[in-house]
Amino acid sequence: MSETTRTESELTPSQLAWRRFRSHKLAMIGSAVLLLFLLVSFLGPLLYSVDPYAVDTAYYRLPPGPGHPLGTDSAGRDVLARLLHGGRLSLTIGLTAALLATVLGVLLGIVAGYFRGWIDSVLTRIAEVFQSFPILIVIIVVVAIFGSGVLMIIVMLGCLTWTQAYRVTRGVTMQLREQDSVQAVEGLGGTPVHILLRHMLPAVLPHASVTFTLLTATVIGTEAALSFLGLGVPPPTPSWGSMISEAQSLRILKSMPWMWVPPGAAIALTVLAVNFVGDGLRDAVDPRQVR
C-alpha cells in the first residue's frame, strides 16, 4: 500500500511530517530554489572556469555582452564568475554558522530543560545576555581587534545567534521531561546521559531542523550586511555582500545595475527560499497541524 493511499493513523511520524511538508507548496518551491542555488554555486565554477580574481582595466565596468554574460565590475573582473564563487562562500558561511549556532543551542537547551534548577537559571541568564547583544556592534569591535576572515565570521555569527535554538530546545525538553516514558526510564535507573542522548535529543531534532533553516536565512543576510559595510570577508575574495558594496556609489546604483542586481537578487531569493523551507518544516513537525 503506497503512502498516499494510507490513512494518517497507519503512517509513522516521519512519514506524516513528510506528507505535510509536501503539501506546503511554498516550502516545495523554496526547496527547489535553494537546491538550484546550491548546485549553481558549487558546480557552476567548474563549468564556467573564468578567474573571478583576474583584473583587467581594459574591461572596466562593461555591461553584459559577449565574453562577459553579466558584465564586469570596477576592476574589470567578470561579474558572473564572482557571483558563482561568491555564492559558494556566502552559502558555506550561512550553513556552517547556522549549524554551529544550532548545535550549541540544542546542547545547552536540553541540559537546561532537563536538569532545570540553578543550571537552567544560569544558562537562561547567559542566553538573555547574548540575546541582548547588538550583533553588528559586537562584530565591529571583534573585527577591529582581531581582524576579519571566513573562519572568524563563522565563529562570531554562530556564537551570537545560538539563543534561538536554545529557547526552542529548552521549551521542548521541559515538556518531554514530564512525560511518563521519561519518568519510567528514570525510575528504571536510566542515567541522565542516556536519557538526554536516547530520548531527549531525537525528540528535539525536528524542531532543531526548523531553527537551523531560519538561522541560515538570518546568517546569510547578516553576512551580506557585514560585507556591504566592509566588515565581512576581506577583499578580493568575492561574496554576495561584498559585490553589493559596489552599489554604495550613486552612479553605479543608477546606471550600472549589472554590478549589484545579480548578487542582490541572489541574496533575496535565497533568504526567501530558506524561510519558505523553514515554514514548511515548522508546519510538518507541529502536531497541531495534523488533521
Side-chain angles (χ1 to χ4, degrees):
M1 183 182 298
S2 65
E3 180 182 335
T4 56
T5 60
R6 294 158 65 186
T7 62
E8 292 193 349
S9 60
E10 298 174 321
L11 298 175
T12 64
S14 59
Q15 290 173 330
L16 282 172
W18 172 238
R19 172 183 286 187
R20 291 195 293 270
F21 183 80
R22 286 187 309 175
S23 66
H24 197 296
K25 295 181 180 180
L26 289 179
M28 295 302 294
I29 295 174
S31 300
V33 172
L34 185 59
L35 179 61
L36 176 63
F37 272 105
L38 289 171
L39 291 175
V40 169
S41 297
F42 286 90
L43 298 180
L46 301 178
L47 303 176
Y48 189 75
S49 57
V50 176
D51 186 359
Y53 302 98
V55 176
D56 191 343
T57 55
Y59 295 95
Y60 176 77
R61 293 180 178 177
L62 288 180
H68 299 285
L70 293 181
T72 61
D73 64 7
S74 299
R77 298 170 297 197
D78 188 87
V79 172
L80 178 56
R82 293 182 65 79
L83 182 70
L84 296 175
H85 284 79
R88 177 187 294 180
L89 183 60
S90 294
L91 291 173
T92 299
I93 291 176
L95 294 172
T96 308
L99 180 62
L100 174 62
T102 303
V103 171
L104 184 60
V106 167
L107 292 179
L108 295 178
I110 60 174
V111 170
Y114 178 77
F115 290 102
R116 294 178 292 188
W118 67 269
I119 295 179
D120 179 33
S121 299
V122 171
L123 292 177
T124 301
R125 297 294 85 76
I126 294 175
E128 291 174 352
V129 171
F130 272 85
Q131 190 175 357
S132 66
F133 284 160
I135 294 180
L136 288 179
I137 301 300
V138 174
I139 293 179
I140 289 173
V141 173
V142 174
V143 169
I145 297 175
F146 300 102
S148 62
V150 175
L151 181 60
M152 178 65 70
I153 295 298
I154 291 174
V155 172
M156 285 192 298
L157 291 176
C159 292
L160 291 173
T161 57
W162 60 273
T163 55
Q164 183 176 351
Y166 170 82
R167 294 197 310 271
V168 172
T169 304
R170 173 178 174 269
V172 174
T173 304
M174 293 183 73
Q175 294 178 355
L176 295 173
R177 181 74 170 77
E178 304 301 326
Q179 290 185 353
D180 294 338
S181 58
V182 175
Q183 300 288 338
V185 173
E186 289 182 339
L188 294 173
T191 63
V193 174
H194 172 80
I195 295 173
L196 291 176
L197 295 181
R198 296 295 301 273
H199 297 273
M200 297 297 183
L201 187 58
V204 303
L205 284 181
H207 301 273
S209 65
V210 178
T211 305
F212 169 73
T213 57
L214 300 178
L215 283 175
T216 300
T218 301
V219 170
I220 290 176
T222 304
E223 186 276 328
L226 291 173
S227 296
F228 180 80
L229 296 173
L231 301 173
V233 180
T237 304
S239 72
W240 288 342
S242 63
M243 294 178 68
I244 294 180
S245 64
E246 295 274 5
Q248 292 182 11
S249 169
L250 187 60
R251 180 188 173 193
I252 294 176
L253 189 63
K254 288 184 175 181
S255 60
M256 302 177 187
W258 66 85
M259 294 175 58
W260 60 271
V261 169
I267 293 173
L269 289 175
T270 301
V271 171
L272 192 62
V274 173
N275 278 318
F276 283 159
V277 173
D279 289 341
L281 287 174
R282 181 185 58 199
D283 294 346
V285 302
D286 189 350
R288 292 173 297 180
Q289 297 295 325
V290 179
R291 295 181 180 84

